[in-house]
Amino acid sequence: MGKTIYTPDIFEGGKQVNSIPDFAYQKVMVRTIPQLNNDQIIADLQELVDSFNQKDGYNLELEVNFSGYPVKNDPDSEIVSAAQDASVQELGGKLDLKALSMGTDASKFKARNENVDVIILGPGNDTAHQTDEYVDLESFYSFIRLYKQIAINYLK
């Protein structure tokens, strides 16, 4: 699944260019892996915040908005088999359904039922999470047909 990835995506503070900000915040995304779980990362960050707050002039807070665990596909699961068969039918070839480390609603389903089979699959290209992100209509419609075929294959 790769390594834990930390991305400081938003940093904001201050009201004007000629004064020191009285308040600032940073929003960060951390893509986790099973070997270094979310609870440990949160505990480590809280410990860091606490250590700074013991010094004069610091008043830091840690707020966790979402804590999703990485989702790993079982390559031998029924849903992966149904998706692979459907991708051959609809897209002309098998998809690479490897394990990914990303924040996704699938982690919430797995938290409620660790045996549920999930795949992370959607149309797209290499513009994901960019300012000019887009999905072309041909890919969009192809995936609608693909999803329908996956459901048919899976529910047989």
Side-chain angles (χ1 to χ4, degrees):
M1 296 186 84
K3 60 184 181 176
T4 299
I5 299 171
Y6 166 89
T7 59
D9 299 314
I10 297 172
F11 190 85
E12 190 170 310
K15 296 179 183 84
Q16 60 189 33
V17 296
N18 65 344
S19 64
I20 295 174
D22 62 339
F23 177 82
Y25 69 89
Q26 182 176 25
K27 291 186 178 183
V28 175
M29 171 68 80
V30 179
R31 298 199 186 274
T32 61
I33 58 173
Q35 293 81 2
L36 180 58
N37 74 41
N38 300 22
D39 295 336
Q40 184 61 54
I41 291 170
I42 292 167
D44 290 347
L45 289 172
Q46 188 61 59
E47 185 178 318
L48 184 62
V49 166
D50 293 345
S51 71
F52 272 103
N53 283 341
Q54 291 176 5
K55 301 175 184 178
D56 287 339
Y58 286 90
N59 184 19
L60 304 177
E61 294 178 27
L62 175 66
E63 179 180 325
V64 178
N65 295 323
F66 175 80
S67 182
Y69 288 87
V71 175
K72 185 174 182 181
N73 302 332
D74 174 359
D76 299 320
S77 70
E78 290 181 38
I79 192 71
V80 169
S81 178
Q84 294 293 19
D85 292 345
S87 70
V88 169
Q89 292 170 279
E90 295 298 327
L91 304 176
K94 284 190 174 184
L95 295 169
D96 182 13
L97 297 176
K98 62 184 177 194
L100 300 169
S101 176
M102 60 175 50
T104 170
D105 292 341
S107 66
K108 297 301 182 184
F109 294 118
K110 292 292 273 188
R112 302 274 287 166
N113 178 357
E114 66 183 41
N115 297 317
V116 70
D117 290 328
V118 298
I119 54 175
I120 301 167
L121 179 63
N125 48 46
D126 58 1
T127 65
H129 304 295
Q130 296 180 18
T131 302
D132 60 352
E133 179 178 357
Y134 70 93
V135 174
D136 61 81
L137 288 175
E138 181 180 333
S139 177
F140 177 75
Y141 293 127
S142 292
F143 270 77
I144 290 173
R145 291 188 298 274
L146 177 64
Y147 296 147
K148 286 180 183 178
Q149 192 60 51
I150 291 170
I152 290 167
N153 292 355
Y154 186 71
L155 297 173
K156 280 186 179 180

